[in-house]
Amino acid sequence: MLKVMFAADVGDDVYADDPTANKLEETVAHLLGFEAGLYTPSGTMANQIAINLHTKRGDTVLAEQDSHVYLFEAGAAAALSGVQFDQISHHDRITSESLAQSFKSDHLHSAPTTLLVVENTHNRASGRVTTKKELAPVVETAKSLGLNLHCDGARLWNAAIALNCKPKELLHGFDSVSVCFSKGLGAPVGSVLCGKKSWIETARKTRKRWGGGMRQIGYLAAACLYALENHLERLADDHTKARTLKLFLEELHTDKRYQETLIDVKAPDPITNMVYLQVRPEFGDELIQRLKNKGILTNHIGHGAVRFVTHLDISDADMHVTKDALSTALLH
Ligand SMILES: Cc1ncc(COP(=O)(O)O)c(C=O)c1O
């Protein structure tokens, strides 16, 4: 990847004059079934540009509980676009019914719902996919309610691999999507936002206004193109490793010695690249420190929920080390 980056053909992207960035935007838009694409330095910027363009101040954005746009983007939707969120619980999921129930129409007292954001896969729901079959009626209902639809597809690649379908099959009826290259695909930087051509032209101006107009970004775009060509299919390996980890942890869970610390193992079916462990809340920080001491980096997201993510730098040998480490670290 580094070799390809060094050799990239570059120009000034502020003038839309960087051939490699242009190629990435066209390639991704085509792959995802949209007219045009826009490179952004982060998934957060791509999502927030979409929210800004799909809403007006005082609107409500509807999203599934604990979506990244709500929980982890530093309040950007409120700060930059003046919108508020309504959330559909993990339990109810986004369905036609839950959508229709949460929808607020435009009247004197309301903050009308104008945008639905679907995060696929859903990080805080343990990397759970939303399938084509689940999406179809949701898209239909959203359209009948006059909503815009944005997919936070930071890990859409994982969803498509887990469901054995093309990524664009998960985007029918969506007005926009953001996809990340800096997660499972292993590029150092970058996301692409896709939508209609005229909409992306407005997005380009918003990116510029927010300080995201960049010059020779072909060096970074080259890494994304390399990742698309070489790291997409291999996501299946990450999913296999996550499944192995899940089975191992489930075994520990049935062992009496671990029952004081290990409360639950959460991983969806089909699994993607994440396993969440539920431990006693006061043990969460201790567990991640014990694992860190053995060179394993995990994330305690609070209340004893600990996230494990498999990725292209995790080898089979690393999996053995992780299992050994967990066998001792999880003992009281
Ligand atoms: C689902 C989801 N969306 C968006 C983002 C934002 O990406 P970035 O960190 O590039 O801003 C993340 C980052 O973890 C994410 O998990």
Side-chain angles (χ1 to χ4, degrees), residues 135-193:
L135 284 166
V138 169
V139 169
E140 200 184 313
T141 306
K143 290 289 160 204
S144 73
L145 293 169
L147 299 184
N148 289 315
L149 272 150
H150 173 68
C151 173
D152 177 355
R155 298 181 186 79
L156 188 74
W157 317 115
N158 296 85
I161 293 288
L163 295 169
N164 197 20
C165 69
K166 295 201 164 88
K168 71 172 162 194
E169 293 177 51
L170 299 169
L171 296 169
H172 286 315
F174 278 78
D175 300 288
S176 58
V177 61
S178 61
V179 285
C180 281
F181 294 89
S182 64
K183 300 190 169 61
L185 290 191
V189 186
S191 285
V192 171
L193 175 66

Side-chain angles (χ1 to χ4, degrees), residues 49 53 197-207:
I49 291 174
L53 298 191
K197 200 163 184 292
S198 57
W199 188 85
I200 286 292
E201 279 322 304
T202 315
R204 193 174 291 278
K205 177 146 184 183
T206 306
R207 184 187 69 171

Side-chain angles (χ1 to χ4, degrees), residues 61-272:
V61 176
L62 189 57
E64 203 171 344
Q65 185 186 341
D66 296 337
S67 290
H68 198 277
V69 285
Y70 164 75
L71 204 55
F72 290 129
E73 300 192 1
L80 301 173
S81 300
V83 294
Q84 64 179 36
F85 282 96
D86 276 346
Q87 296 188 72
I88 295 175
S89 75
H90 287 171
H91 179 256
D92 290 344
R93 302 283 307 270
I94 300 183
T95 61
S96 289
E97 294 72 37
S98 63
L99 174 54
Q101 240 167 32
S102 307
F103 173 76
K104 293 184 306 215
S105 60
D106 194 0
H107 61 76
L108 181 63
H109 304 282
S110 74
T113 316
T114 52
L115 172 65
L116 175 68
V117 177
V118 178
E119 185 176 313
N120 202 7
T121 69
H122 193 306
N123 175 13
R124 286 295 288 268
S126 317
R128 190 201 59 216
V129 301
T130 302
T131 64
K132 272 187 289 183
K133 204 168 155 206
E134 288 166 329
L135 284 166
V138 169
V139 169
E140 200 184 313
T141 306
K143 290 289 160 204
S144 73
L145 293 169
L147 299 184
N148 289 315
L149 272 150
H150 173 68
C151 173
D152 177 355
R155 298 181 186 79
L156 188 74
W157 317 115
N158 296 85
I161 293 288
L163 295 169
N164 197 20
C165 69
K166 295 201 164 88
K168 71 172 162 194
E169 293 177 51
L170 299 169
L171 296 169
H172 286 315
F174 278 78
D175 300 288
S176 58
V177 61
S178 61
V179 285
C180 281
F181 294 89
S182 64
K183 300 190 169 61
L185 290 191
V189 186
S191 285
V192 171
L193 175 66
C194 294
K196 281 213 164 81
K197 200 163 184 292
S198 57
W199 188 85
I200 286 292
E201 279 322 304
T202 315
R204 193 174 291 278
K205 177 146 184 183
T206 306
R207 184 187 69 171
K208 172 77 174 148
R209 181 175 292 143
W210 289 356
M214 297 163 286
R215 305 289 177 188
Q216 286 79 23
I217 56 170
Y219 294 118
L220 301 174
C224 301
L225 283 164
Y226 179 92
L228 262 188
E229 267 168 44
N230 298 284
H231 295 168
L232 191 52
E233 298 301 324
R234 63 147 309 285
L235 289 176
D237 297 347
D238 297 343
H239 299 180
T240 303
K241 289 195 176 81
R243 190 174 307 112
T244 307
L245 185 64
K246 174 194 169 196
L247 293 175
F248 175 75
L249 286 162
E250 281 174 348
E251 234 171 76
L252 291 192
H253 190 225
T254 60
D255 184 329
K256 262 205 216 115
R257 289 173 304 156
Y258 295 95
Q259 277 171 3
E260 238 189 274
T261 48
L262 184 52
I263 297 168
D264 201 3
V265 180
K266 291 182 188 160
D269 188 18
I271 196 166
T272 57

Side-chain angles (χ1 to χ4, degrees), residues 17 56 58 262 307:
D17 208 14
K56 55 185 187 341
L262 184 52
R307 187 183 78 158

